[in-house]
Amino acid sequence: MRVLIGGGTGFIGKHIARKLADKGHEVTLLSRSTGRGRLTWDELYKKGLPDNTGAVVNVAGENALNMFRRGEAYKKDIITSRVDTTKALAEAITASKNPPKVFVSTSAIGYYPPSSVADYTEDTKVTGIDFPSKLCQDWEEAAVLPEGKGVRRVTIRLGVVLGKDGGAIKQMWWQFYFGAGGKIGTGRQFFPWIHIDDASGLFVYSIENDHVSGILNAVAPQICTNEEFTKAFAGAMRRPAFMPFPAFAANLIFQDRATMLLDGQKVIPKRTLELGYKFKYSHLDDACKEIVS
Ligand code: NDP
C-alpha cells in the first residue's frame, strides 16, 4: 500500500516509515523541503494526493518545547504546523476521487487537563482549559472529514515518546549522562510515556487493521510519575539524578507551555488495549534499559 506521511522526516515519522517499508509498503514523505521519495506541502496543495494513496498519516509539528523560542510568532508556528497541516491533508482526502482507506492523525495527552486524581481514558470528554488542551482539540477537529467519504479515521493521542534518537530523551540525554539530571518541579506529576517502538507500532497497527478507528491513547499501560521516570532513566544510565529542574525555571523558560512539564495526567490506554494492540514495552525499566543499551 502507498502511505503518505506528513512530518515523516521527524523522530516519530522516520520510525513509522521504516516499519512500513520493512513490511513492504511504499512510503512517501510529506515535508517542507524537497528530497528523494518526498512530496512538499506546496505540491500537495497544487496537485492533491499522489495516485493510489492507500493511507495518510500526519505527524508534522514544530517542537513545542524549544528552549530558545517564545512569543506569539512561535506559538502560531506550534499551532499552524499541527492544525493547518492536518487540515491540508483532510482537504486533500476530501477532494480526492480515489480516497485512501484510512487517515491516521495525531494529537497528544495534553488534551486531558492536568490532574493528580482523575483517570483519563479515550472516553473522557473535555473542553480546552489551557494552551495544550485547546491546541489538541483544534488539532483533532482539523482531521474531521465530511460524512460518507468512506475513509476510516484514527486519532492517536501521544504521551511522551521515549527513544534515543529524538523527543524528550534526546533533549535530556547529556544532562543525565553527566549526572546532572533530576526530577522536574515536585516530580509528583504523572508522566504518561510510550516507547518509540510502540508509538510507531501503533500507527502501523492502525493503518493495517480495519477494525481500528476513533481515538487511541498512545501511552504504556504502566503509568509513572516524573520522579519515577527520572529514577528509572538515571538508573538505566547508572548515573545519579540529584539536580532537580525547579518549577520557577520551567515557568520562566517555557511560560504557558511549562504546564506540559510541571503538571501531568493519568492517562489509560483503554481502547488501545481493547482494540488488540500488544505493547512491546509495558514496563518503564525495560523501556529505559533498551534506550540506554
Ligand atoms: P519532530 O520535531 O522530530 O518532527 C516533526 C516534523 O514536523 C519535522 O520533521 C518537520 O518536517 C515537521 N515540521 C516541523 N515544524 C514544522 C512546521 N512549522 N510546519 C510544517 N511542518 C513542520 O517531532 P516528533 O516526531 O517528535 O513529533 C511528531 C508529532 O508528534 C508532533 O506534532 C508532536 O507534537 C507530536 N508529539 C510528539 C511527542 C514526542 O514525545 N515526541 C509527544 C506528543 C506529541 P519537515 O522539516 O520535513 O517539514
Side-chain angles (χ1 to χ4, degrees):
M1 183 195 304
R2 174 179 274 193
V3 186
L4 180 66
I5 309 179
T9 57
F11 167 47
I12 300 169
K14 272 188 201 158
H15 280 264
I16 299 171
R18 205 173 303 144
K19 272 200 165 69
L20 287 168
D22 286 349
K23 290 177 141 229
H25 297 289
E26 191 188 330
V27 177
T28 304
L29 308 181
L30 187 53
S31 167
R32 288 167 297 173
S33 48
T34 53
R36 207 166 134 254
R38 288 191 196 182
L39 183 79
T40 64
W41 290 96
D42 284 341
E43 285 166 335
L44 177 82
Y45 292 127
K46 281 183 201 142
K47 297 184 196 154
L49 295 182
D51 289 342
N52 304 320
T53 302
V56 173
V57 172
N58 193 27
V59 280
E62 178 85 36
N63 176 5
L65 288 172
N66 186 330
M67 290 179 89
F68 306 105
R69 284 195 71 191
R70 63 187 72 181
E72 286 310 307
Y74 174 45
K75 226 165 164 180
K76 197 165 165 237
D77 278 352
I78 293 174
I79 298 166
T80 57
S81 61
R82 290 165 176 75
V83 177
D84 291 6
T85 55
T86 304
K87 216 178 262 173
L89 284 168
E91 282 169 7
I93 292 169
T94 306
S96 171
K97 289 199 182 79
N98 183 18
K101 275 174 65 181
V102 54
F103 179 26
V104 187
S105 65
T106 307
S107 178
I109 45 89
Y111 172 87
Y112 305 108
S115 169
S116 55
V117 288
D119 285 355
Y120 293 122
T121 72
E122 295 90 343
D123 304 327
T124 311
K125 296 271 177 291
V126 299
T127 41
I129 49 129
D130 55 13
F131 175 66
S133 63
K134 282 192 202 114
L135 170 63
C136 289
Q137 280 178 28
D138 291 346
W139 201 358
E140 293 184 14
E141 260 164 44
V144 173
L145 300 172
E147 291 283 321
K149 202 66 199 165
V151 180
R152 187 164 56 82
R153 276 213 314 115
V154 184
T155 302
I156 297 200
R157 285 189 188 142
L158 287 166
V160 182
V161 182
L162 304 182
K164 200 179 211 161
D165 50 335
I169 294 286
K170 195 174 176 190
Q171 276 187 286
M172 63 176 84
W173 181 272
W174 291 111
Q175 201 180 327
F176 275 76
Y177 184 83
F178 289 113
K183 65 184 181 185
I184 301 176
T186 65
R188 287 195 295 272
Q189 67 277 32
F190 286 114
F191 185 85
W193 63 276
I194 181 166
H195 189 280
I196 181 64
D197 215 13
D198 283 318
S200 53
L202 193 50
F203 278 89
V204 175
Y205 188 77
S206 301
I207 291 169
E208 290 187 331
N209 287 281
D210 289 344
H211 71 284
V212 178
S213 66
I215 309 284
L216 297 182
N217 284 338
V219 295
Q222 184 208 24
I223 185 80
C224 71
T225 63
N226 173 269
E227 187 164 25
E228 286 163 346
F229 162 73
T230 303
K231 280 190 186 144
F233 185 49
M237 271 199 159
R238 297 173 193 271
R239 297 285 191 278
F242 298 133
M243 306 232 338
F245 184 51
F248 79 86
N251 280 315
L252 197 71
I253 297 169
F254 296 107
Q255 300 172 335
D256 58 353
R257 294 167 290 135
T259 182
M260 296 179 190
L261 298 169
L262 297 171
D263 306 309
Q265 307 89 339
K266 187 175 176 195
V267 182
I268 297 161
K270 180 173 167 270
R271 290 195 77 243
T272 305
L273 291 168
E274 282 171 1
L275 289 168
Y277 183 75
K278 302 265 180 290
F279 282 85
K280 191 167 169 193
Y281 295 96
S282 297
H283 295 283
L284 184 63
D285 286 337
D286 296 338
C288 288
K289 276 182 201 144
E290 189 285 327
I291 290 161
V292 167
S293 69

